[in-house]
Amino acid sequence: DALLAQTECVCICSPNETHAFYAIRALEKGRGVLCEKPLGGTDAEMERLTALCSKPLPTNMTGYNYRYQNAYQAIARCIADGAIGKPWLYRELYGGIRLANPDVPYEWRMDHALARGGAMFDFGSHMLDHFLFFCNAGANEVNSLGVRRSTLIPMRRDGKVQRAVTTDDCAVLTLTTKANTTVDLTCMRVGCPGESIEMVGEN
């Protein structure tokens, strides 16, 4: 409260489970918010944030920083210039390889209570933001939605004991927008060496 009284906006980079609490407090005080993902982890948190953002308040923004990198800016320019025309298909594969090693010990991102989500929250949120940034054609209205999640390495060493991993390490999101674009996102924490983006359009 003392800090909020001295500032016009806040950047929330605290542990995931605290994001919604701090964002709600700041928005209730009329402060602008830049929050790292995820914004929240429960329906109640997201409903409260949505209600606050429906009022005339300063900016509330999630830190989707990848869209500002040169490669993504170049893709966005190509699409805006009509390189593919109306987008029919957007497919992206993204993830990492560190957690593919089963000897990597248990950590906070493997605990749902702390991380608030797994591969889809971690990588998938950025991937969905890429699509929204690139295509922006009826993307906010969805006709169909499907998600498949799995935990490929279900147990991890935590000191001398084994603990169950309660977040997914592989997730697939498929949706179709009202603009009739199919979006297929595959997020892998356990063995994806890089990123690939494929787009098909009317051109």
Side-chain angles (χ1 to χ4, degrees), residues 123-190:
F123 296 111
S125 57
H126 283 291
M127 296 159 74
L128 188 56
D129 182 62
H130 296 163
F131 167 68
L132 294 171
F133 179 50
F134 296 151
C135 299
N136 194 26
N140 294 317
E141 298 185 57
V142 176
N143 272 341
S144 64
L145 174 69
V147 179
R148 300 188 308 278
R149 301 181 303 155
S150 58
T151 304
L152 303 178
I153 304 178
M155 302 294 292
R156 295 278 185 169
R157 178 178 48 81
D158 186 7
K160 295 182 178 180
V161 301
Q162 292 285 318
R163 288 186 63 180
V165 174
T166 56
T167 57
D168 56 274
D169 50 27
C170 176
V172 179
L173 170 70
T174 302
L175 64 85
T176 303
T177 71
K178 287 191 182 292
N180 207 27
T181 302
T182 297
V183 181
D184 187 4
L185 309 178
T186 300
C187 325
M188 292 284 294
R189 282 177 162 175
V190 286

Side-chain angles (χ1 to χ4, degrees), residues 7 10 25 52 58 68 78 87 111 126 128 147 155 187 196:
T7 187
V10 297
R25 291 291 293 276
L52 285 167
Y68 301 103
C78 286
D111 185 333
H126 283 291
L128 188 56
V147 179
M155 302 294 292
C187 325
S196 65

